[in-house]
Amino acid sequence: AVFDQSEKEVMIAHELGHIIYKPNVIEKWQLTTLYWLRRHNFFGVWREQIISRILTKYQVKADSLAAEKVSPKRMLSFLNKIYPAERRSEFDYKMRLENLEKLQRQSLQKH
């Protein structure tokens, strides 16, 4: 995909969010354990749901920073550009979309 200037700004702010917001010690342990279990094919769907929820939490935090530093509208536009239509039913996308729509409403109320 080709990104315009505002999308590049959003992407950089989002990645900065990953530097600022990192899983805590317990979440790191959980992820390490769950990835090990993935290798051994234990707890299939349950394991994947836990991994998804932890990782999504940090995607949402990074999205929030990008929305704050650039704009919720641009972050929302960027999110829709990086998620193909067939992946928009996934938990990760839905949680990120919900958060960005909330931030966009709050931003509009402030102005």
Side-chain angles (χ1 to χ4, degrees):
V2 176
F3 302 112
D4 65 26
Q5 186 61 33
S6 69
E7 291 167 333
K8 290 175 186 175
E9 291 169 5
V10 165
M11 186 184 331
I12 291 168
H14 174 88
E15 294 308 320
L16 179 62
H18 285 303
I19 293 169
I20 294 170
Y21 304 112
K22 295 180 180 187
N24 62 38
V25 173
I26 293 170
E27 290 168 331
K28 285 181 183 179
W29 177 83
Q30 288 173 325
L31 287 169
T32 301
T33 302
L34 291 167
Y35 279 116
W36 180 84
L37 291 173
R38 177 186 276 175
R39 209 175 73 209
H40 296 288
N41 205 23
F42 293 135
F43 307 112
V45 172
W46 172 82
R47 179 198 61 235
E48 295 306 313
Q49 289 173 343
I50 300 289
I51 290 171
S52 177
R53 289 184 191 284
I54 293 171
L55 296 178
T56 297
K57 174 182 173 181
Y58 289 94
Q59 289 295 342
V60 167
K61 286 183 177 203
D63 289 350
S64 295
L65 181 73
E68 176 190 325
K69 298 299 179 191
V70 181
S71 89
K73 183 178 179 180
R74 288 182 182 165
M75 183 59 221
L76 186 55
S77 172
F78 178 73
L79 183 69
N80 285 321
K81 193 169 190 176
I82 63 172
Y83 271 84
E86 64 272 7
R87 288 195 53 215
R88 291 187 185 170
S89 63
E90 294 176 7
F91 174 79
D92 181 67
Y93 175 81
K94 288 178 180 180
M95 294 297 100
R96 293 174 75 181
L97 178 66
E98 183 179 303
N99 178 62
L100 289 170
E101 288 174 341
K102 181 180 107 185
L103 293 173
Q104 190 170 17
R105 284 190 304 275
Q106 290 171 350
S107 176
L108 292 172
Q109 289 173 354
K110 287 179 184 177
H111 294 100

